[in-house]
Amino acid sequence: MSGGIQWLVDQDDWQHGVVFARGIEPEELGVRMGGTPGSVVSPITDTEAWNMVLDLATDDDDVVRVGACCGWSFAVEYGMGDGGDRLVEISRNGVEAIHLDPSPDHPPAMFSYARDGADVCSFGIGEEVWRWGEQPDLLLPELIAAGVLHPDGEYARPDGESYLDRDRHTLALIETRFGLFLPRDEVVNQRLPAFLI
């Protein structure tokens, strides 16, 4: 699968946090994430971004590569990534912002949605019964319709379902609800503008 966002779980090791923002250009998203314009001189590949992070040899510096697709700007995080911590700030002045964090060191993967400077709705993917934010039930109708939760808020997914299928199911409803698309070929194979964070 090359479109949408579900392909993220099909990677051997989902390591990229991704921030989506609607209402600002990719370069502005990089700046709102803490990047300095010109801090990475030319567009770089996925491999070059990982190599930059390794060469920095500090947990304080990260790299993001930015682009745009289907009305959303996106930033792919390399290193520790703190897009989730910056999401409310990214969303200021009427911007919508979404953070998908694979949380490889402390599962589950996380979904967060902010709008106009406020944390609207967040939850763990696979732990959708626990939601928080100013509108924690924002996606409850979609979660019920997709068979993730029962109307009483309890889990509806089958026992023994693989975590990949479970995560893909929830990403599918997030993808549909917000019209998200992360172009796999661009992210994996092509050069994108980047910022040192």
Side-chain angles (χ1 to χ4, degrees):
M1 179 174 294
S2 61
I5 58 173
Q6 298 171 57
W7 66 266
L8 289 168
V9 300
D10 293 324
Q11 297 182 103
D12 289 335
D13 195 9
W14 179 17
Q15 293 288 323
H16 299 292
V18 182
V19 174
F20 293 91
R22 183 161 45 195
I24 55 175
E25 296 298 316
E27 291 73 20
E28 175 64 16
L29 175 57
V31 170
R32 288 189 186 197
M33 290 185 71
T36 302
S39 57
V40 177
V41 179
S42 60
I44 60 175
T45 65
D46 181 71
T47 301
E48 289 168 335
W50 280 121
N51 288 338
M52 281 184 74
V53 169
L54 293 174
D55 289 345
L56 294 169
T58 172
D59 288 340
D60 295 333
D61 294 318
D62 297 315
V63 173
V64 297
R65 293 169 62 227
V66 298
C69 191
C70 299
W72 289 87
S73 293
F74 63 83
V76 181
E77 299 177 299
Y78 298 81
M80 298 302 289
D82 64 353
D85 294 337
R86 296 177 184 264
L87 202 64
V88 168
E89 172 63 17
I90 291 167
S91 75
R92 73 183 189 278
N93 299 327
V95 172
E96 290 182 89
I98 291 172
H99 186 234
L100 298 174
D101 182 357
S103 303
D105 297 327
H106 192 275
M110 299 296 297
F111 160 80
S112 300
Y113 173 63
R115 182 178 57 227
D116 201 18
D119 177 15
V120 177
C121 179
S122 299
F123 54 78
I125 297 173
E127 296 183 356
E128 295 87 357
V129 294
W130 299 295
R131 301 173 306 281
W132 60 92
E134 291 186 1
Q135 295 178 295
D137 293 339
L138 178 73
L139 298 183
L140 186 58
E142 286 90 348
L143 291 165
I144 293 169
V148 175
L149 298 178
H150 289 297
D152 63 4
E154 292 298 315
Y155 287 116
R157 300 300 300 155
D159 289 337
E161 178 180 39
S162 78
Y163 77 92
L164 291 174
D165 289 341
R166 178 202 68 201
D167 289 1
R168 189 177 298 103
H169 199 79
T170 296
L171 285 179
L173 76 90
I174 293 168
E175 173 184 305
T176 300
R177 169 65 165 80
F178 294 100
L180 297 179
F181 191 97
L182 186 65
R184 183 178 192 154
D185 184 58
E186 273 186 61
V187 171
V188 174
N189 299 315
Q190 297 182 26
R191 294 182 175 277
L192 291 172
F195 293 81
L196 184 63
I197 304 296

